[in-house]
Amino acid sequence: LVSVVDLIVAVPLSGLVAKVGHEVVVADGDVIARWSFPAFFERVFGAPRLFAQEYQWTAILSSTTAIVAVLIAWPLASFGRTHPTAETVFDVLTIVLVVIPGPIVAMLVVYFFQLNLPGFAELYEQTTLPTSVALLARSVPVAYWLLRAGSRGIDSAVLDSAALESSPWARMWSIDRPLLSRTFWTAFLATAIVASGDVPATLPIIPPGVSTVGTRLFGLLHSGARYQEASLAIWYMAAVVALSLLLFQQGSSGRVKVV
């Protein structure tokens, strides 16, 4: 576990720290590259103000997409729990969605919103709805598989008894909802993380004037602004690590027996 943490957190974080504090100065005709703590401090703590729009749009898009993804995945996981054939179909469909390249998903969404239907043009040009729809291609499978695993922890006898006394929708509300409350939060957080970093699906369809952390990083990478890129990424990475630790804590404290 320590080795994995070192690889996925410590190594990228140390690289970001080195880039943020890196500066090149000219002294007596000599070019000197050095690491400066004042430069590091100024750039890191200036990033939230400099990139406030990127952080805000990333939070808005990822959270709204995560909510919609959980609301879509919940009925699928609940219905599949008591219908094995349907569950197999949902499993295959979600896997297919994941393997479709992000740019292709975005182009399909663009094509859909350009259909000659009332309101579609306005939705495409003036809202972030098409962007959220494109992000759902990765987000729904993440939410579905987490809720599917959580549903497996519900005793079959409980589900059989509920099927005799209530409708599927009533069962979802009265049984699934309280028993899977922790799983809902886990699915929401995990889906938000995935949506926040899905640049391939976001970049081709994001509307003008809207910039996320991922799209801004893409632009900075191609402009050579290394320290700006690192200062933008370091806060995003800190947020992802914090949410990942929260997910780990949720998972370790809320384990259920799979029946």
Side-chain angles (χ1 to χ4, degrees):
L1 178 60
V2 174
S3 299
V4 173
V5 172
D6 288 341
L7 288 174
I8 66 176
V9 176
V11 173
L13 184 60
S14 61
L16 291 175
V17 170
K19 286 185 178 181
V20 172
H22 182 265
E23 64 177 7
V24 178
V25 298
V26 178
D28 298 328
D30 296 327
V31 178
I32 302 174
R34 65 186 184 186
W35 192 90
S36 169
F37 181 78
F40 171 82
F41 185 87
E42 178 184 356
R43 292 165 182 172
V44 166
F45 288 95
R49 176 178 52 82
L50 182 62
F51 301 110
Q53 181 181 5
E54 284 74 15
Y55 294 128
Q56 290 170 4
W57 277 116
T58 300
I60 291 170
L61 282 173
S62 60
S63 59
T64 54
T65 301
I67 291 172
V68 175
V70 170
L71 292 177
I72 294 174
W74 179 16
L76 300 181
S78 179
F79 186 78
R81 177 66 175 85
T82 54
H83 298 78
T85 302
E87 185 178 60
T88 302
V89 173
F90 297 151
D91 292 351
V92 173
L93 287 177
T94 52
I95 293 173
V96 169
L97 282 176
V98 170
V99 300
I100 298 175
I104 294 179
V105 172
M107 292 300 101
L108 291 173
V109 174
V110 170
Y111 174 80
F112 175 75
F113 277 93
Q114 288 183 342
L115 294 175
N116 189 22
L117 294 174
F120 271 37
E122 289 75 14
L123 289 173
Y124 178 73
E125 296 172 359
Q126 302 175 18
T127 71
T128 58
L129 179 61
T131 307
S132 294
V133 172
L135 292 174
L136 287 174
R138 300 285 192 281
S139 302
V140 170
V142 172
Y144 167 77
W145 282 94
L146 288 171
L147 290 170
R148 180 186 187 277
S151 297
R152 289 285 174 177
I154 302 176
D155 197 322
S156 298
V158 175
L159 298 177
D160 293 339
S161 175
L164 297 175
E165 301 174 359
S166 59
S167 67
W169 294 107
R171 189 203 80 193
M172 285 176 55
W173 184 256
S174 60
I175 296 178
D176 292 5
R177 182 181 55 84
L179 292 179
L180 299 179
S181 58
R182 188 182 297 272
T183 306
F184 286 137
W185 280 110
T186 301
F188 171 80
L189 293 175
T191 303
I193 292 174
V194 171
S196 69
D198 194 357
V199 179
T202 306
L203 196 61
I205 198 173
I206 196 164
V210 176
S211 178
T212 65
V213 171
T215 57
R216 187 62 183 271
L217 280 174
F218 183 85
L220 291 174
L221 282 170
H222 289 78
S223 67
R226 298 301 182 189
Y227 75 86
Q228 287 185 341
E229 161 210 330
S231 62
L232 169 62
I234 201 167
W235 286 107
Y236 172 74
M237 184 174 179
V240 170
V241 170
L243 290 176
S244 300
L245 291 175
L246 181 58
L247 283 173
F248 179 78
Q249 186 274 334
Q250 291 266 23
S252 59
S253 63
R255 299 184 189 278
V256 293
K257 181 180 178 182
V258 177
V259 181

